[in-house]
């Protein structure tokens, strides 16, 4: 009987207003940037809007190719939310950007399924996100300038010693 009531509450919440579902997910930043070969991690705050424990039993996601979603953070760290609990911001998922990816905006979504029972697979919440792939920077890293300075210093010392070993010049 109790499980039936919880299921009805979840069903009512799912058909209710779009602003308040069983769980509210708020990404700390829904538009992250990286270059090809990089990755970004999305942090989320999750709120259980229900007056009972909600088990987080699964996830699903989509993102434009060639990007891929890594849901390890969700699989390892997200299990349930107690009644009216707020969690976060914490890592929910990451997006990997392969080398050679064309600079552009790539859209995606991440959904969480679950319910009051550990085997429920009701859709609890979905968040949309964007990964902006930017062109690789042509500005040298600071370490490059340090190495260049060191090489010039060694070259200067070598020229000075060589000149000193030849003796004074005669005019």
């Amino acid at each position: 009987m109790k499980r039936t009531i919880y299921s009805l509450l979840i069903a009512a919440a799912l058909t209710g207003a779009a602003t308040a579902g069983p769980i509210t997910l708020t990404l700390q930043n829904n538009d992250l940037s990286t270059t090809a070969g990089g990755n970004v991690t999305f942090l989320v705050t999750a709120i259980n809007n229900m007056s009972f424990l909600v088990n987080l039993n699964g996830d699903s996601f989509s993102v434009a190719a060639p990007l891929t979603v890594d849901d390890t953070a969700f699989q390892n760290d997200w299990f349930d939310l107690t009644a009216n609990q707020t969690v976060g911001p914490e890592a929910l998922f990451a997006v990997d950007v392969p080398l050679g990816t064309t600079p552009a905006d790539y859209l995606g979504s991440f959904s969480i399924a679950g319910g009051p029972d550990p085997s429920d697979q009701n859709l609890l919440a979905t968040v949309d996100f964007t990964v902006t792939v930017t062109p690789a920077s042509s500005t040298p890293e600071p370490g490059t300038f340090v190495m260049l300075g060191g090489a010039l210093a060694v070259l200067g010392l070598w020229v000075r010693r060589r000149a000193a070993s030849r003796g004074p010049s005669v005019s």
Side-chain angles (χ1 to χ4, degrees), residues 4 16 40 52 55 57-58 65 69 74 79 115 117 119 156 160 162 169:
T4 303
V40 291
F52 52 85
N55 295 282
N57 300 326
V69 172
F74 174 79
F79 301 107
D117 189 86
S119 62
R160 180 179 247 184
R162 186 167 180 196
S169 61

Side-chain angles (χ1 to χ4, degrees), residues 135-151:
S137 173
S138 61
T139 304
E141 295 183 11
T144 304
F145 292 116
V146 171
M147 289 189 320
L148 177 62

